[in-house]
Each structure stands twice: as C-alpha cells, then as structure tokens.
C-alpha cells in the first residue's frame, strides 16, 4: 500500500527476507538477507526493529541477490534480532557510506589487518583478494580475542589455501596450536618485497588500529597506501543526525572508509 | 515600501493573517524562566497580536517550527509503515535577523548534506514564511555583527518594528512581498517608506579565526571546560543552528504491534551522544565536547558549506547554568590560532619553507 512512500522516504525501512543464518559464536551470527542493488564491502545498513530501534551493521558479504550482515548481540536492537529473527524477514535501510574500492588492491602486494568484528567489513575485500591471480602477494592478518570468538571459520579455511593468511588470537587455552598474540606482532615479519609500494587495509577497535598503523609505518608503508575504516555511532546514515560527525567529515557519508592521509586528520 | 499601523491596526492585521496562516512567534511566559520568578520567551502558535513578544529576544529559537523537540516520523504495524500526518496550513514565523540566517544552516544539513533531502524537514520547510522582527539595539550577549548575521536582505515577507510614540505604540512594516499588501490595507495601514531596523554594533565582540590550526585542537584551553561544564546540553537546545537528533521507538501496548518511530533533539554535550554498541565512546571529557561544539560552529561547518554555523545570537551564553561564555571561548581560540600561526611563520622563515 505504501510502496510509493517507502521509495521516496529514506527513513522508512524495507522488508528483506532472511535467506540463511550462520552462527559463528553465541553472540555473532551472519544473516544472509535478500537484496538486489549496488553495494560494496565496507558499506552498512541500518537494521530496523520496530519498538527497539535501529542498529548500523556493516556488509560482510555480497552476492547477486543478497548481502550478508554479521550481527553481534550487544544491545537492545541486536538482542531482539537474535530472539525473534525466525520471523523470516528484517527491516533494512541502506546501503550507506562509501565502502571499499577493491580495484585499489588489484596490483602488487596488499595486507589486510583486521581485528574482531573488524573482520566483517573486510570479509568482502579478503574474499576478492583471495580470488585474484596474484593472490600469493596478498596477506590477511585476522585477530580474534580467543578461539571461541572466531568469525567466518569456513572462509578462514578457504582463504588459507589461496592467500597468505595469518590467524591469531589474543589468548588461548593451554594446548592451543595456532598463533597467539596481537595482530601487530606479525607485521614486522611479513615477507614483503616492497613495503613502500604495498597497500594495507586496517579495520578494528581504535587502539588496535592505532598500533597496527604504527607497525605498518615502521615496516615502510606509506600513509597514502593505507586504507582505514572507522566505526562511529551511525544513527541516521543520511548526514542529518550529526552523531557520526568528526570535524567537517560525516563518517556515514564520506566514510566509513578513508585513505589514511585523510583519516589521520580526523580528531574526535 | 511599507505600512504603518496603530496598536489596534496591528491587532486587526494579526487577526486577518491568522485566518490564513498559523502564526508561530515568540511568547513571554511569566515565571517560567531559568531561575525562580524569572520570565522566559518561548516560541508558540499564537492567535492574537497581544501574545507576540516583540521587545525581548527569545530564549529559545524558532527551529521547533522545523525540528520539533520530539517528532513522530512514522507509525508502524506488523508489516506496514505510515508517515505521520502534518498540519498543512502555511505558517508565518516571526524571527530576528540572526535566526533567519540560522535557517540557511539548518537547510545546509537537512537539504544539502549528503544525497538525500530530509523529507520530514522539507515538508515543514515548504509551509514556512518569515516575518522579520527588527532589532533597534543589540541584546547583552549578541554578537551578530561579527558573525555577519545582523543584516537580512531577503527571505522575509514583511518586517515588523514597534516603537513608543508618546502614549501610543506605533508599528512599522517593510513589505517586500506585495501579496501581503491586502492584509495591511484591510487593517487600515498607512502607506509609508519603511525599512526594518538592524544593529551595526554589539557590546559583545568576537574575533573569529580565518582558520583553526590542528594544533589548537590539542591546546590546554579546553581543559578548563572539563572542570566547569556539567554537560547539560542547554547550550545546544537553545541554539538556532544545532540540528542533531536521535531516533527513538515508542510502543503503545506491550504485546500489540503498533508503535511509532520518533526523532528527538540530541546534544553533543550530553553523555551518550557518541556511544556505539559494545561500549565504545568518543569525546569522553566535557573539554573535548566543548572543542567539538565550538569548532563546529566557527570552523568545521564552514569548511563543508562555506559559512560559519554560529550566527552570534548569544543564547548559549544566556542559558548556561555554569556561566560559561561561548563568545569568550571564540576569542580564546582566535588567540591560540594566532599563536600557532606566528610560531609557524617564524619557523618557516628560518627554514625557508
Ligand atoms: S552557538 Fe550560541 S551564539 Fe552561536 S548560534 Fe548557537 S546559540 Fe547562538
Ligand atoms: S556549556 Fe553550559 S549550557 Fe552547555 S552543556 Fe556545558 S554547562 Fe550546559
Ligand atoms: S549517521 Fe546521522 S549524520 Fe551520519
């Protein structure tokens, strides 16, 4: 009945069918949502749950007629999604933000460093890197808090065979066989031919990003070759509510993805 | 081009305008002010000339005509959403020059920021017409002249100035929009050559830096406000150019699936403004928030839209319960900016950069 209005008014969400749900951890599920339209990794949708509100969720995967939204159960809205998603559809608005430009990472060496839920927005980037002809020049360092917190296990297994994946956890129970340590630990030893022309993508919690960038710079990366994605409170996604503004930049419009030469000037 | 009316003529005028427009004007509320027994000038819809406060500056801005403190956007049931209705009669808003300048800043955000025009703002905006209240003198904390908002050349249908002449109050109207002439004729107006009053000097002065160097953001000047500011947000709520909001869902019954989504005014000075899911927070201290607010008003908005956001109405200084002077902060930022630039020039001279 209200289709015309729905199209005209960007605040009114549209229903999207849940095609599949993948449970990574107790608190993190990926919802495969029906969506046809242009979308890039790193963009985000507002997931809208009447009565509870809206939550910005970044796109963690893209297919011909779907987008993956990896949702972490951390608040009123996401709680409700987990409790009642069996309703088969969710209300969405978006996609918003600029997202990653995959073409930038086609040539030469590229390193993606992601921590925790920061892996979601770059999942599409790593996926793309893993299918490139020169995938042997592509590196991904993914860090999680513990083995139980790992996201995208199937993808990780697949990526391991295709590009240079370093998987690490901050801490692990005794007897754990994989890497233990922060993502920053692995940057110095990356066997890169030419760090000064290599590209990097960094996404994660603010302290992780800060120290990762310091390590990259030490290794010889140039600021202009580093891409970052910032998390802020995205309330409207439309450049109106003001919650995401930093200086003269609106993260929801101009970001969340920035070249670090710009990103480093943003000061909260 | 204009008219002069007597007191009774003015009453007639408002009466006839009111038959075609809703009139949104400053109104004096006795004893409702910041302190016990003080008055406050708010905006409200009025029916008569007597209700309109023309002498004092309003403590709150007209922006509620566009951005109500709480606005229902749409209603939802299980599978449907329906936009909230709006009273579609045109509105005449009485405001001063600074506030008419503020309108452009509101438009910047709601009509020009990003690809999307805000439909809820736009539908209200399209109904508004403006009546410019003249300013024969500046109020205590005004600094409109330094912000370039003292003079208004267009955007109003008519202006109004009142003056005591002997026993009587005389009302003068400059009427650039000739379609309003009939209202003045009908109220027995005398044709006259009228120009609205405006101020050319203010007691409060500010020096706005041309550019604020990054180093000033880290200056110690902000620390003082971590101590003094209590983060109440009143400075945002009274500001004609503050535009931020938060979405809020309301349900009528607990198990019924009927409710509404609203947007409510938000303040960057108040706790929680930046909180993200999972506990992340930016600008934890009041000093950082003060920097964020002040630099938005006198620098950041200008970088994006070409004009400073602040129009110098002085309401934030009027309202602050901690007597924090925002105009004073602008001057401190100016001094700090100058210092950085001078240091840079001295250095640059040596290094020949
Ligand atoms: S910042 Fe203060 S002086 Fe400037 S427009 Fe807002 S309330 Fe008025
Ligand atoms: S500056 Fe004053 S009015 Fe504004 S938040 Fe701080 S204490 Fe409240
Ligand atoms: S999320 Fe509302 S302005 Fe960016």
């Amino acid at each position: 009945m209200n289709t015309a209005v729905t199209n005209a008014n960007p605040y009114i969400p549209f229903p999207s069918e849940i095609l599949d749900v993948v449970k990574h951890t107790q608190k993190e599920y990926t919802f495969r949502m029906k969506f046809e339209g242009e979308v890039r990794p790193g963009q985000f949708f507002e997931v809208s749950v009447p009565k509870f509100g809206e939550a910005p969720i970044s796109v963690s995967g893209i297919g011909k007629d779907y987008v993956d939204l990896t949702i972490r159960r951390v608040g009123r809205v996401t709680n409700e999604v987990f409790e009642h998603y069996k309703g088969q559809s969710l209300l969405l608005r978006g996609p918003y933000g600029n997202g990653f430009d995959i073409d930038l990472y086609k040539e030469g060496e590229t390193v993606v460093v992601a921590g925790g839920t920061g892996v979601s927005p770059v999942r599409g980037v790593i996926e793309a890197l893993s299918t490139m002809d020169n995938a042997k020049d592509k590196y991904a360092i993914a860090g999680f808090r513990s083995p139980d917190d790992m996201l995208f296990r199937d993808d990780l297994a697949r990526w391991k065979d295709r590009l240079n994946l370093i998987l690490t956890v901050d801490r692990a129970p005794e007897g754990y066989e994989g890497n233990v340590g922060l993502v920053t630990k692995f940057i110095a030893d990356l066997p890169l031919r030419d760090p000064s022309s290599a590209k990097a993508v960094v996404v994660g919690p603010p302290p992780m990003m800060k120290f990762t960038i310091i390590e990259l710079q030490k290794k010889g990366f140039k600021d202009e070759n580093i891409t970052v994605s910032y998390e802020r409170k995205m309330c409207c996604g439309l450049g109106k509510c003001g919650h995401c503004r930093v200086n003269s930049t609106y993260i929801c419009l101009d970001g969340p993805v920035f070249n670090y030469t710009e990103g480093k000037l943003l000061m909260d | 081009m204009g008219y002069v009316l007597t007191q009774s003529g003015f009453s007639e005028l408002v009466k006839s305008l009111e038959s075609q427009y809703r009139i949104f004007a400053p109104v004096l509320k006795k004893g409702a002010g910041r302190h016990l027994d003080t008055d406050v000038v708010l905006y409200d819809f009025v029916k008569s000339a007597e209700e309109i406060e023309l002498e004092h500056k309003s403590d709150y801005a007209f922006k509620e005509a566009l951005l109500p403190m709480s606005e229902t956007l749409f209603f939802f049931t299980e599978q449907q959403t329906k936009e909230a209705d709006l009273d579609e009669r045109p509105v005449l808003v009485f405001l001063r020059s600074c506030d008419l300048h503020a309108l452009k800043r509101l438009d910047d955000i709601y009509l020009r920021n990003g690809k999307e025009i805000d439909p809820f703002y736009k539908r209200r905006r399209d109904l508004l017409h403006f009546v410019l209240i003249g300013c024969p003198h500046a109020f205590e904390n005004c600094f409109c002249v330094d912000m370039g908002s003292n003079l208004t050349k267009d955007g109003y249908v008519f202006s109004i100035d009142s003056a005591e002449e002997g026993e009587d109050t005389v009302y003068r109207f400059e009427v650039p929009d000739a379609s309003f002439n009939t209202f003045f004729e009908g109220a027995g107006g005398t044709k006259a050559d009228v120009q609205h009053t405006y101020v050319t000097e203010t007691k409060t002065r500010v020096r706005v830096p041309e550019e604020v160097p990054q180093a000033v953001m880290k200056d110690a000047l902000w620390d003082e406000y971590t101590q003094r500011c209590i983060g109440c947000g009143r400075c945002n709520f009274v500001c004609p150019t503050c535009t931020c909001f938060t979405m809020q869902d309301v349900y009528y019954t607990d198990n019924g699936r009927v409710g509404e989504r609203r947007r409510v005014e938000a303040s960057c000075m108040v706790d929680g403004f930046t909180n993200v899911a999972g506990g992340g927070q930016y600008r934890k201290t009041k000093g950082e928030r003060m920097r964020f607010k002040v630099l938005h008003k006198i620098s950041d908005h200008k970088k994006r839209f070409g004009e400073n956001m602040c129009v110098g109405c002085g309401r934030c200084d009027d309202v602050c319960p901690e007597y924090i002077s925002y105009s004073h902060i602008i001057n401190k930022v100016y001094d700090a900016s100058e210092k950085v630039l001078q240091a840079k020039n001295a250095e640059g001279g040596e290094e020949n950069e």
Side-chain angles (χ1 to χ4, degrees), chain A residues 19-133:
Chain A
L19 302 173
D20 193 13
V21 179
V22 179
K23 301 180 180 178
H24 306 289
T25 72
Q26 299 236 307
K27 278 185 146 185
E28 282 140 323
Y29 296 179
T30 291
F31 293 80
R32 180 154 293 180
M33 309 299 308
K34 190 153 180 70
F35 181 79
E36 285 173 50
E38 232 175 274
V39 60
R40 285 170 144 196
Q43 285 193 299
F44 65 98
F45 282 82
E46 292 284 347
V47 175
S48 182
V49 184
K51 183 176 184 175
F52 296 87
E54 299 185 305
I57 307 289
S58 54
V59 171
S60 62
I62 298 164
K64 215 173 91 213
D65 57 351
Y66 70 83
V67 289
D68 287 338
L69 301 179
T70 302
I71 303 184
R72 187 155 175 240
R73 182 176 188 164
V74 279
R76 278 164 56 83
V77 178
T78 48
N79 251 333
E80 181 63 14
V81 171
F82 274 58
E83 295 290 336
H84 291 119
Y85 70 83
K86 289 179 187 73
Q88 288 148 34
S89 74
L90 290 173
L91 294 171
L92 305 178
R93 302 193 280 123
Y96 298 125
N98 55 358
F100 290 97
D101 179 1
I102 303 283
D103 289 348
L104 293 176
Y105 316 114
K106 276 203 170 128
E107 271 157 42
E109 295 170 306
T110 303
V111 182
V112 178
V113 189
T117 42
V119 180
S120 297
V122 294
R123 179 177 168 229
V125 179
I126 303 176
E127 184 63 40
L129 296 181
S130 76
T131 61
M132 289 178 185
D133 297 340

Side-chain angles (χ1 to χ4, degrees), chain B residues 143 235 238-241 297 309-317 326:
Chain B
F143 50 94
C235 49
V238 298
C239 176
T241 66
K297 296 292 177 194
M309 194 169 222
C310 175
V311 293
C313 74
R315 289 186 180 97
C316 52
D317 282 12
Y326 159 80

Side-chain angles (χ1 to χ4, degrees), chain B residues 77-348:
Chain B
T77 59
E78 194 78 59
Q79 280 306 332
Q80 272 185 352
T81 48
K82 184 190 168 299
E83 255 184 73
D85 294 330
L86 183 71
D87 189 330
E88 281 174 4
R89 281 176 292 167
V91 180
L92 273 185
V93 181
F94 282 61
L95 42 50
R96 294 176 188 276
S97 180
C98 56
D99 282 356
L100 199 45
H101 282 263
L103 177 72
K104 290 197 205 107
R105 282 63 171 175
L106 303 183
D107 285 351
D108 285 344
I109 302 295
Y110 282 93
L111 303 180
R112 291 189 275 273
N113 203 27
K115 291 194 298 280
E116 302 282 359
I117 287 177
D118 189 290
F120 298 105
Y121 178 89
K122 176 80 163 53
R123 65 180 192 164
R124 287 180 191 273
R125 176 76 169 85
D126 288 345
L127 298 174
L128 303 190
H129 304 271
F130 297 95
V131 175
L132 181 68
I133 304 174
C135 292
H137 61 85
F139 300 93
E140 192 187 347
N141 289 322
C142 298
F143 50 94
C144 54
V145 177
D146 289 328
M147 297 313 294
S149 65
N150 57 320
L151 183 59
T152 291
K153 293 204 189 83
D154 48 29
Y156 55 102
V157 291
F158 62 85
S159 74
I160 177 166
D161 272 282
S162 65
E164 306 296 322
E165 285 183 11
E167 298 282 278
D168 301 322
T169 310
V170 175
Y171 296 84
R172 291 193 169 77
F173 304 86
E174 179 194 332
V175 190
D177 186 336
S179 71
F180 279 80
N181 286 352
T182 52
F183 290 102
F184 291 95
E185 300 284 349
T190 318
K191 272 209 171 99
D193 193 13
V194 181
Q195 260 159 14
H196 70 272
T197 58
Y198 62 92
V199 301
T200 51
E201 51 184 20
T202 61
K203 200 179 90 201
T204 301
R205 298 291 311 267
V206 295
R207 288 163 286 139
V208 183
E210 208 31 63
E211 199 199 318
V212 181
Q214 184 94 355
V216 173
M217 297 182 70
K218 302 202 182 90
D219 197 284
L221 81 90
W222 305 107
D223 298 344
E224 176 187 340
Y225 304 100
T226 295
Q227 308 304 320
R228 291 180 61 199
C229 170
I230 58 169
C232 65
R234 282 182 230 185
C235 49
N236 297 120
F237 298 131
V238 298
C239 176
T241 66
C242 273
T243 55
C244 295
F245 66 82
T246 301
M247 301 275 226
Q248 204 175 69
D249 280 13
V250 182
Y251 250 59
Y252 304 139
T253 55
D254 247 1
N255 44 11
R257 305 291 283 178
V258 179
E260 61 187 67
R261 180 156 295 157
R262 296 178 179 168
R263 64 175 169 206
V264 295
E265 224 180 317
S267 156
C268 60
M269 302 300 286
V270 172
D271 285 345
F273 186 77
T274 62
N275 289 17
V276 295
Q281 194 189 350
Y282 303 89
R283 299 186 300 278
K284 291 199 182 90
T285 70
K286 311 284 192 298
E288 289 169 300
R289 294 180 201 170
M290 186 64 82
R291 162 177 57 69
F292 180 79
K293 181 191 77 174
V294 171
L295 295 187
H296 190 209
K297 296 292 177 194
I298 61 163
S299 165
D300 292 331
H301 186 84
K302 185 175 170 183
K303 282 188 199 142
R304 204 170 171 97
F305 296 103
E307 269 177 321
N308 273 322
M309 194 169 222
C310 175
V311 293
C313 74
R315 289 186 180 97
C316 52
D317 282 12
D318 296 334
V319 82
C320 180
E322 301 303 308
Y323 301 98
I324 290 168
S325 166
Y326 159 80
S327 50
H328 193 59
I329 300 175
I330 299 181
N331 290 329
K332 283 197 209 172
V333 173
Y334 180 90
D335 291 341
S337 302
E338 282 291 291
K339 224 158 97 190
V340 173
L341 288 179
Q342 274 163 18
K344 215 190 217 161
N345 285 342
E347 219 178 80

